[in-house]
mmCIF file of all heavy atoms in Angstrom:
data_model
loop_
_atom_site.group_PDB
_atom_site.id
_atom_site.type_symbol
_atom_site.label_atom_id
_atom_site.label_comp_id
_atom_site.label_asym_id
_atom_site.label_seq_id
_atom_site.Cartn_x
_atom_site.Cartn_y
_atom_site.Cartn_z
ATOM 1 N N GLY A 1 87.361 107.908 126.408
ATOM 2 C CA GLY A 1 88.460 107.406 127.223
ATOM 3 C C GLY A 1 89.805 107.340 126.535
ATOM 4 O O GLY A 1 89.903 107.143 125.321
ATOM 5 N N ARG A 2 90.834 107.514 127.328
ATOM 6 C CA ARG A 2 92.217 107.498 126.863
ATOM 7 C C ARG A 2 92.731 106.061 126.786
ATOM 8 O O ARG A 2 92.430 105.222 127.631
ATOM 9 C CB ARG A 2 93.059 108.337 127.832
ATOM 10 C CG ARG A 2 94.537 108.379 127.565
ATOM 11 C CD ARG A 2 95.204 109.352 128.536
ATOM 12 N NE ARG A 2 94.851 109.047 129.913
ATOM 13 C CZ ARG A 2 95.484 108.177 130.668
ATOM 14 N NH1 ARG A 2 96.488 107.477 130.179
ATOM 15 N NH2 ARG A 2 95.116 107.984 131.923
ATOM 16 N N ILE A 3 93.535 105.777 125.784
ATOM 17 C CA ILE A 3 94.168 104.464 125.643
ATOM 18 C C ILE A 3 95.254 104.323 126.702
ATOM 19 O O ILE A 3 95.994 105.272 126.987
ATOM 20 C CB ILE A 3 94.767 104.301 124.228
ATOM 21 C CG1 ILE A 3 93.647 104.276 123.175
ATOM 22 C CG2 ILE A 3 95.606 103.036 124.125
ATOM 23 C CD1 ILE A 3 94.135 104.345 121.742
ATOM 24 N N SER A 4 95.378 103.148 127.282
ATOM 25 C CA SER A 4 96.376 102.893 128.322
ATOM 26 C C SER A 4 97.782 103.235 127.842
ATOM 27 O O SER A 4 98.144 102.963 126.681
ATOM 28 C CB SER A 4 96.343 101.420 128.740
ATOM 29 O OG SER A 4 95.093 101.091 129.299
ATOM 30 N N ASN A 5 98.550 103.844 128.728
ATOM 31 C CA ASN A 5 99.951 104.199 128.492
ATOM 32 C C ASN A 5 100.145 105.373 127.536
ATOM 33 O O ASN A 5 101.276 105.660 127.137
ATOM 34 C CB ASN A 5 100.763 102.998 127.998
ATOM 35 C CG ASN A 5 100.868 101.927 129.064
ATOM 36 O OD1 ASN A 5 101.125 102.221 130.222
ATOM 37 N ND2 ASN A 5 100.623 100.680 128.677
ATOM 38 N N ILE A 6 99.055 106.038 127.155
ATOM 39 C CA ILE A 6 99.166 107.308 126.449
ATOM 40 C C ILE A 6 98.727 108.381 127.438
ATOM 41 O O ILE A 6 97.552 108.479 127.784
ATOM 42 C CB ILE A 6 98.281 107.341 125.184
ATOM 43 C CG1 ILE A 6 98.760 106.292 124.182
ATOM 44 C CG2 ILE A 6 98.304 108.739 124.551
ATOM 45 C CD1 ILE A 6 97.910 106.193 122.936
ATOM 46 N N GLU A 7 99.695 109.152 127.912
ATOM 47 C CA GLU A 7 99.395 110.104 128.979
ATOM 48 C C GLU A 7 98.523 111.257 128.482
ATOM 49 O O GLU A 7 97.578 111.667 129.153
ATOM 50 C CB GLU A 7 100.694 110.654 129.570
ATOM 51 C CG GLU A 7 100.483 111.397 130.877
ATOM 52 C CD GLU A 7 101.785 111.729 131.567
ATOM 53 O OE1 GLU A 7 102.822 111.120 131.213
ATOM 54 O OE2 GLU A 7 101.786 112.588 132.467
ATOM 55 N N ARG A 8 98.824 111.780 127.304
ATOM 56 C CA ARG A 8 98.073 112.904 126.750
ATOM 57 C C ARG A 8 97.799 112.677 125.262
ATOM 58 O O ARG A 8 98.728 112.691 124.458
ATOM 59 C CB ARG A 8 98.857 114.208 126.918
ATOM 60 C CG ARG A 8 99.032 114.665 128.359
ATOM 61 C CD ARG A 8 97.731 115.163 128.941
ATOM 62 N NE ARG A 8 97.901 115.605 130.321
ATOM 63 C CZ ARG A 8 98.251 116.833 130.679
ATOM 64 N NH1 ARG A 8 98.461 117.756 129.748
ATOM 65 N NH2 ARG A 8 98.388 117.154 131.944
ATOM 66 N N PRO A 9 96.559 112.454 124.863
ATOM 67 C CA PRO A 9 96.236 112.360 123.434
ATOM 68 C C PRO A 9 96.595 113.650 122.710
ATOM 69 O O PRO A 9 96.647 114.730 123.312
ATOM 70 C CB PRO A 9 94.723 112.130 123.441
ATOM 71 C CG PRO A 9 94.453 111.495 124.766
ATOM 72 C CD PRO A 9 95.403 112.163 125.717
ATOM 73 N N GLY A 10 96.849 113.540 121.418
ATOM 74 C CA GLY A 10 97.195 114.702 120.604
ATOM 75 C C GLY A 10 96.255 114.870 119.431
ATOM 76 O O GLY A 10 95.659 113.902 118.947
ATOM 77 N N LEU A 11 96.111 116.103 118.979
ATOM 78 C CA LEU A 11 95.237 116.404 117.847
ATOM 79 C C LEU A 11 96.072 116.424 116.575
ATOM 80 O O LEU A 11 97.112 117.091 116.513
ATOM 81 C CB LEU A 11 94.575 117.761 118.065
ATOM 82 C CG LEU A 11 93.320 118.106 117.256
ATOM 83 C CD1 LEU A 11 92.207 117.093 117.512
ATOM 84 C CD2 LEU A 11 92.842 119.511 117.604
ATOM 85 N N MET A 12 95.624 115.697 115.561
ATOM 86 C CA MET A 12 96.417 115.529 114.340
ATOM 87 C C MET A 12 95.580 115.785 113.095
ATOM 88 O O MET A 12 94.411 115.393 113.032
ATOM 89 C CB MET A 12 96.977 114.107 114.269
ATOM 90 C CG MET A 12 97.931 113.836 113.119
ATOM 91 S SD MET A 12 98.285 112.077 112.943
ATOM 92 C CE MET A 12 96.759 111.526 112.161
ATOM 93 N N THR A 13 96.191 116.425 112.100
ATOM 94 C CA THR A 13 95.532 116.583 110.811
ATOM 95 C C THR A 13 96.505 116.193 109.712
ATOM 96 O O THR A 13 97.723 116.143 109.923
ATOM 97 C CB THR A 13 95.049 118.031 110.596
ATOM 98 O OG1 THR A 13 94.133 118.063 109.494
ATOM 99 C CG2 THR A 13 96.209 118.989 110.313
ATOM 100 N N THR A 14 95.963 115.911 108.529
ATOM 101 C CA THR A 14 96.795 115.601 107.367
ATOM 102 C C THR A 14 96.790 116.805 106.438
ATOM 103 O O THR A 14 95.742 117.195 105.924
ATOM 104 C CB THR A 14 96.279 114.353 106.624
ATOM 105 O OG1 THR A 14 96.213 113.246 107.533
ATOM 106 C CG2 THR A 14 97.195 113.996 105.465
ATOM 107 N N LEU A 15 97.963 117.399 106.245
ATOM 108 C CA LEU A 15 98.104 118.570 105.391
ATOM 109 C C LEU A 15 98.523 118.155 103.989
ATOM 110 O O LEU A 15 99.244 117.159 103.822
ATOM 111 C CB LEU A 15 99.153 119.524 105.972
ATOM 112 C CG LEU A 15 98.857 120.107 107.359
ATOM 113 C CD1 LEU A 15 100.078 120.883 107.859
ATOM 114 C CD2 LEU A 15 97.639 121.004 107.315
ATOM 115 N N PRO A 16 98.114 118.902 102.965
ATOM 116 C CA PRO A 16 98.557 118.587 101.603
ATOM 117 C C PRO A 16 100.029 118.938 101.424
ATOM 118 O O PRO A 16 100.560 119.801 102.122
ATOM 119 C CB PRO A 16 97.666 119.492 100.733
ATOM 120 C CG PRO A 16 97.355 120.653 101.622
ATOM 121 C CD PRO A 16 97.226 120.083 103.009
ATOM 122 N N VAL A 17 100.692 118.265 100.505
ATOM 123 C CA VAL A 17 102.079 118.586 100.190
ATOM 124 C C VAL A 17 102.162 119.157 98.780
ATOM 125 O O VAL A 17 101.276 118.932 97.950
ATOM 126 C CB VAL A 17 102.993 117.349 100.318
ATOM 127 C CG1 VAL A 17 103.092 116.920 101.768
ATOM 128 C CG2 VAL A 17 102.499 116.195 99.455
ATOM 129 N N VAL A 18 103.229 119.899 98.513
ATOM 130 C CA VAL A 18 103.359 120.599 97.234
ATOM 131 C C VAL A 18 103.456 119.631 96.073
ATOM 132 O O VAL A 18 102.810 119.809 95.036
ATOM 133 C CB VAL A 18 104.598 121.524 97.267
ATOM 134 C CG1 VAL A 18 104.842 122.136 95.889
ATOM 135 C CG2 VAL A 18 104.413 122.615 98.312
ATOM 136 N N LYS A 19 104.245 118.572 96.230
ATOM 137 C CA LYS A 19 104.426 117.606 95.152
ATOM 138 C C LYS A 19 103.714 116.303 95.487
ATOM 139 O O LYS A 19 103.747 115.839 96.622
ATOM 140 C CB LYS A 19 105.912 117.333 94.924
ATOM 141 C CG LYS A 19 106.677 118.525 94.362
ATOM 142 C CD LYS A 19 108.129 118.152 94.093
ATOM 143 C CE LYS A 19 108.891 119.334 93.517
ATOM 144 N NZ LYS A 19 110.313 118.989 93.252
ATOM 145 N N GLY A 20 103.083 115.709 94.475
ATOM 146 C CA GLY A 20 102.432 114.425 94.662
ATOM 147 C C GLY A 20 101.037 114.557 95.254
ATOM 148 O O GLY A 20 100.548 115.647 95.527
ATOM 149 N N GLU A 21 100.407 113.417 95.470
ATOM 150 C CA GLU A 21 99.040 113.382 95.970
ATOM 151 C C GLU A 21 98.959 112.996 97.439
ATOM 152 O O GLU A 21 97.892 112.861 97.984
ATOM 153 C CB GLU A 21 98.223 112.367 95.138
ATOM 154 C CG GLU A 21 98.091 112.737 93.668
ATOM 155 C CD GLU A 21 97.394 114.069 93.468
ATOM 156 O OE1 GLU A 21 96.441 114.370 94.207
ATOM 157 O OE2 GLU A 21 97.808 114.819 92.567
ATOM 158 N N GLY A 22 100.093 112.786 98.062
ATOM 159 C CA GLY A 22 100.094 112.375 99.453
ATOM 160 C C GLY A 22 99.875 113.549 100.396
ATOM 161 O O GLY A 22 99.352 114.598 100.022
ATOM 162 N N GLY A 23 100.309 113.375 101.625
ATOM 163 C CA GLY A 23 100.144 114.427 102.610
ATOM 164 C C GLY A 23 101.125 114.223 103.744
ATOM 165 O O GLY A 23 101.964 113.324 103.706
ATOM 166 N N VAL A 24 101.020 115.071 104.750
ATOM 167 C CA VAL A 24 101.868 114.952 105.933
ATOM 168 C C VAL A 24 100.991 115.037 107.170
ATOM 169 O O VAL A 24 100.168 115.938 107.295
ATOM 170 C CB VAL A 24 102.974 116.034 105.949
ATOM 171 C CG1 VAL A 24 102.389 117.431 105.801
ATOM 172 C CG2 VAL A 24 103.806 115.944 107.221
ATOM 173 N N ASP A 25 101.133 114.078 108.064
ATOM 174 C CA ASP A 25 100.359 114.055 109.300
ATOM 175 C C ASP A 25 101.078 114.919 110.338
ATOM 176 O O ASP A 25 102.251 114.668 110.654
ATOM 177 C CB ASP A 25 100.211 112.622 109.807
ATOM 178 C CG ASP A 25 99.404 111.767 108.845
ATOM 179 O OD1 ASP A 25 98.418 112.272 108.304
ATOM 180 O OD2 ASP A 25 99.781 110.596 108.639
ATOM 181 N N PHE A 26 100.370 115.920 110.870
ATOM 182 C CA PHE A 26 100.947 116.923 111.761
ATOM 183 C C PHE A 26 100.281 116.819 113.128
ATOM 184 O O PHE A 26 99.064 116.975 113.239
ATOM 185 C CB PHE A 26 100.722 118.307 111.137
ATOM 186 C CG PHE A 26 101.459 119.436 111.793
ATOM 187 C CD1 PHE A 26 102.558 119.214 112.600
ATOM 188 C CD2 PHE A 26 101.035 120.741 111.585
ATOM 189 C CE1 PHE A 26 103.224 120.274 113.197
ATOM 190 C CE2 PHE A 26 101.700 121.808 112.175
ATOM 191 C CZ PHE A 26 102.802 121.567 112.981
ATOM 192 N N ILE A 27 101.057 116.534 114.175
ATOM 193 C CA ILE A 27 100.552 116.308 115.527
ATOM 194 C C ILE A 27 101.561 116.855 116.540
ATOM 195 O O ILE A 27 102.749 116.697 116.344
ATOM 196 C CB ILE A 27 100.304 114.801 115.754
ATOM 197 C CG1 ILE A 27 99.763 114.513 117.153
ATOM 198 C CG2 ILE A 27 101.553 113.974 115.507
ATOM 199 C CD1 ILE A 27 99.323 113.037 117.356
ATOM 200 N N ASP A 28 101.188 117.597 117.531
ATOM 201 C CA ASP A 28 99.918 117.935 118.131
ATOM 202 C C ASP A 28 99.538 119.348 117.698
ATOM 203 O O ASP A 28 100.385 120.232 117.654
ATOM 204 C CB ASP A 28 100.046 117.815 119.650
ATOM 205 C CG ASP A 28 98.839 118.267 120.434
ATOM 206 O OD1 ASP A 28 97.716 118.154 119.933
ATOM 207 O OD2 ASP A 28 99.017 118.755 121.558
ATOM 208 N N LEU A 29 98.251 119.576 117.453
ATOM 209 C CA LEU A 29 97.778 120.862 116.955
ATOM 210 C C LEU A 29 97.135 121.720 118.039
ATOM 211 O O LEU A 29 96.482 122.702 117.715
ATOM 212 C CB LEU A 29 96.773 120.627 115.823
ATOM 213 C CG LEU A 29 97.272 119.764 114.675
ATOM 214 C CD1 LEU A 29 96.195 119.593 113.637
ATOM 215 C CD2 LEU A 29 98.531 120.359 114.063
ATOM 216 N N GLY A 30 97.313 121.344 119.292
ATOM 217 C CA GLY A 30 96.777 122.179 120.352
ATOM 218 C C GLY A 30 95.945 121.459 121.398
ATOM 219 O O GLY A 30 95.297 122.108 122.220
ATOM 220 N N ALA A 31 95.955 120.141 121.378
ATOM 221 C CA ALA A 31 95.226 119.424 122.427
ATOM 222 C C ALA A 31 95.866 119.674 123.787
ATOM 223 O O ALA A 31 95.198 119.652 124.816
ATOM 224 C CB ALA A 31 95.204 117.926 122.128
ATOM 225 N N ASN A 32 97.182 119.957 123.771
ATOM 226 C CA ASN A 32 97.919 120.213 125.013
ATOM 227 C C ASN A 32 98.771 121.470 124.836
ATOM 228 O O ASN A 32 99.655 121.503 123.981
ATOM 229 C CB ASN A 32 98.826 119.027 125.351
ATOM 230 C CG ASN A 32 98.067 117.719 125.407
ATOM 231 O OD1 ASN A 32 97.341 117.449 126.349
ATOM 232 N ND2 ASN A 32 98.202 116.916 124.362
ATOM 233 N N ALA A 33 98.501 122.483 125.627
ATOM 234 C CA ALA A 33 99.279 123.721 125.533
ATOM 235 C C ALA A 33 100.704 123.515 126.038
ATOM 236 O O ALA A 33 101.639 124.166 125.571
ATOM 237 C CB ALA A 33 98.595 124.832 126.329
ATOM 238 N N GLU A 34 100.876 122.610 127.001
ATOM 239 C CA GLU A 34 102.194 122.299 127.527
ATOM 240 C C GLU A 34 102.475 120.819 127.294
ATOM 241 O O GLU A 34 101.580 119.984 127.416
ATOM 242 C CB GLU A 34 102.278 122.630 129.017
ATOM 243 C CG GLU A 34 102.084 124.117 129.311
ATOM 244 C CD GLU A 34 102.191 124.419 130.794
ATOM 245 O OE1 GLU A 34 102.454 123.486 131.577
ATOM 246 O OE2 GLU A 34 102.000 125.597 131.156
ATOM 247 N N SER A 35 103.721 120.516 126.973
ATOM 248 C CA SER A 35 104.064 119.135 126.641
ATOM 249 C C SER A 35 105.321 118.685 127.365
ATOM 250 O O SER A 35 106.112 119.497 127.852
ATOM 251 C CB SER A 35 104.282 118.986 125.133
ATOM 252 O OG SER A 35 103.084 119.183 124.423
ATOM 253 N N LYS A 36 105.486 117.368 127.407
ATOM 254 C CA LYS A 36 106.703 116.741 127.903
ATOM 255 C C LYS A 36 107.330 115.964 126.737
ATOM 256 O O LYS A 36 106.629 115.599 125.776
ATOM 257 C CB LYS A 36 106.384 115.774 129.040
ATOM 258 C CG LYS A 36 105.806 116.419 130.290
ATOM 259 C CD LYS A 36 105.504 115.357 131.336
ATOM 260 C CE LYS A 36 104.894 115.965 132.589
ATOM 261 N NZ LYS A 36 104.566 114.925 133.602
ATOM 262 N N PRO A 37 108.617 115.674 126.800
ATOM 263 C CA PRO A 37 109.252 114.898 125.725
ATOM 264 C C PRO A 37 108.540 113.565 125.479
ATOM 265 O O PRO A 37 108.426 113.118 124.335
ATOM 266 C CB PRO A 37 110.677 114.680 126.246
ATOM 267 C CG PRO A 37 110.921 115.824 127.170
ATOM 268 C CD PRO A 37 109.598 116.106 127.814
ATOM 269 N N GLU A 38 108.037 112.948 126.553
ATOM 270 C CA GLU A 38 107.353 111.649 126.416
ATOM 271 C C GLU A 38 106.081 111.767 125.586
ATOM 272 O O GLU A 38 105.720 110.834 124.865
ATOM 273 C CB GLU A 38 107.017 111.090 127.805
ATOM 274 C CG GLU A 38 108.224 110.680 128.623
ATOM 275 C CD GLU A 38 108.936 111.851 129.291
ATOM 276 O OE1 GLU A 38 108.402 112.991 129.261
ATOM 277 O OE2 GLU A 38 110.029 111.628 129.833
ATOM 278 N N TYR A 39 105.405 112.927 125.682
ATOM 279 C CA TYR A 39 104.198 113.119 124.875
ATOM 280 C C TYR A 39 104.564 113.085 123.389
ATOM 281 O O TYR A 39 103.888 112.450 122.574
ATOM 282 C CB TYR A 39 103.535 114.465 125.159
ATOM 283 C CG TYR A 39 103.075 114.708 126.571
ATOM 284 C CD1 TYR A 39 102.593 115.963 126.943
ATOM 285 C CD2 TYR A 39 103.116 113.716 127.549
ATOM 286 C CE1 TYR A 39 102.162 116.218 128.233
ATOM 287 C CE2 TYR A 39 102.695 113.959 128.845
ATOM 288 C CZ TYR A 39 102.222 115.214 129.186
ATOM 289 O OH TYR A 39 101.811 115.480 130.458
#
């Protein structure tokens, strides 16, 4: 089930970064082929 007030869930992954041990969270990766600004 979808959380209230989130119209379209998104798919997210954490990518490695060149410097340091952290990462970058990248969303949406294709859960929705078409999007609206609100998404």
